[in-house]
Amino acid sequence: SPGATVHSEWRGLWNDGLWHYVEGSGRNLLHDPVVAGIVINFRDITERKHAEEALRSSERYFRTLIQTALDATVVIGRDGTISYGSSSIEPPRGYKPEDVIGTNCFATVHPEDMTKAMNLYNELMQNPANLIRAEGRVWHKDGSWRIVEAIARNLLDDPIVAGIVVNYRDVTERRQAAEKLQELYRQERDLRQQLETEMKRRVEFT
C-alpha cells in the first residue's frame, strides 16, 4: 500500500543483548523520487511496557484480595447507585454482584434504619476524609433481615475509584448470640436477687 502509514509494536534486539519493546510507524515512499524508500520512525517503549505490566499485575493482585476477602465490598456512586460489588457480597445478602450493580444502595435498607443510613451518607458527602463505621439491617434474598457491620469512606474525588467504598460483614449470628448471652445474664441476675430475697426472708423468720 504505497503512501499508507502502518503503526505497529514489536520487540527488537538491542546492543545490550536484551529484547526491547518498540513502537513505530512505517510508510512506503519508494515511489517518491526524493525519498525512494520505506521510512520507519520508532522509539523504545520498554520502560512503559514494564510499567503497564506492573500495573496490571498490581490490579490483579488487589482484585484477587478483594474478591477472596471475607468482607464484602461495594462501590457507590454520588447518586447512591452501586457500580461495583465483590463476590463476597453473596453470603450476607444472598445476591450475586451482577444482581446489585446498577441498583440503589438504599433499596434493601430496613425502613427503621433508613434515617440513620441517610444521615451517614450525608456525613460522608460533607466530610470526605472521615472513615465512617455503622451497623444496620439489610434485606436478604431469602426474605430475612440481616445485621451488617460496615466501614465506609468517600473516594468520589479519587479518579481511580470515583465512588464511596463500603466494606461490610454479616454480624447477625454474633448479635443474636450477644443478645442471648445478655438475656441469660438478666435471668441469672433475677434468679440471684430472688434467692437473696428468699434467704433474707428465711433469716428474718428464723
Side-chain angles (χ1 to χ4, degrees):
S1 303
T5 300
V6 178
H7 300 277
S8 180
E9 288 185 5
W10 66 90
R11 282 172 292 179
L13 184 62
W14 252 232
N15 60 3
D16 59 5
L18 301 176
W19 292 99
H20 287 230
Y21 287 93
V22 178
E23 177 184 69
S25 61
R27 189 175 185 185
N28 182 351
L29 295 176
L30 288 168
H31 60 285
D32 187 329
V34 177
V35 182
I38 297 175
V39 180
I40 300 176
N41 298 296
F42 64 90
R43 59 181 173 177
D44 187 347
I45 59 170
T46 304
E47 291 186 3
R48 190 186 79 189
K49 280 291 186 181
H50 288 167
E52 290 174 352
E53 179 57 34
L55 180 60
R56 284 193 293 268
S57 297
S58 178
E59 289 175 347
R60 287 194 297 268
Y61 174 75
F62 286 106
R63 188 181 298 112
T64 300
L65 289 181
I66 292 174
Q67 294 293 347
T68 57
L70 294 177
D71 286 0
T73 301
V74 295
V75 178
I76 302 170
R78 196 176 298 274
D79 61 352
T81 301
I82 298 175
S83 60
Y84 170 82
S86 68
S87 58
S88 303
I89 70 171
E90 190 166 358
R93 299 282 303 281
Y95 296 97
K96 295 181 179 180
E98 55 267 28
D99 297 330
V100 301
I101 293 176
T103 64
N104 189 279
C105 65
F106 299 106
T108 57
V109 175
H110 195 286
E112 295 178 2
D113 296 338
M114 185 63 70
T115 300
K116 179 174 70 173
M118 292 299 297
N119 289 338
L120 291 171
Y121 177 79
N122 292 332
E123 184 178 348
L124 278 170
M125 297 299 290
Q126 296 170 9
N127 304 283
N130 291 357
L131 192 66
I132 305 296
R133 299 175 183 272
E135 190 175 287
R137 289 165 290 180
V138 296
W139 180 256
H140 193 280
K141 191 176 181 179
D142 64 7
S144 64
W145 291 103
R146 309 294 292 180
I147 303 172
V148 296
E149 182 181 69
I151 300 176
R153 188 172 186 181
N154 182 350
L155 294 176
L156 285 166
D157 294 332
D158 187 327
I160 297 177
V161 182
I164 297 173
V165 180
V166 182
N167 297 298
Y168 64 93
R169 64 180 62 181
D170 188 344
V171 295
T172 306
E173 282 73 20
R174 191 177 77 188
R175 284 289 175 266
Q176 291 175 344
E179 291 175 0
K180 185 175 182 180
L181 184 61
Q182 288 296 326
E183 178 61 27
L184 290 174
Y185 282 151
R186 284 194 294 270
Q187 292 177 3
E188 187 271 340
R189 182 190 59 201
D190 293 343
L191 180 59
R192 185 172 64 250
Q193 290 177 348
Q194 292 175 10
L195 289 174
E196 290 175 353
T197 301
E198 179 63 20
M199 290 298 296
K200 183 178 179 181
R201 189 189 66 81
R202 292 188 180 188
V203 168
E204 291 175 349
F205 175 78
T206 302

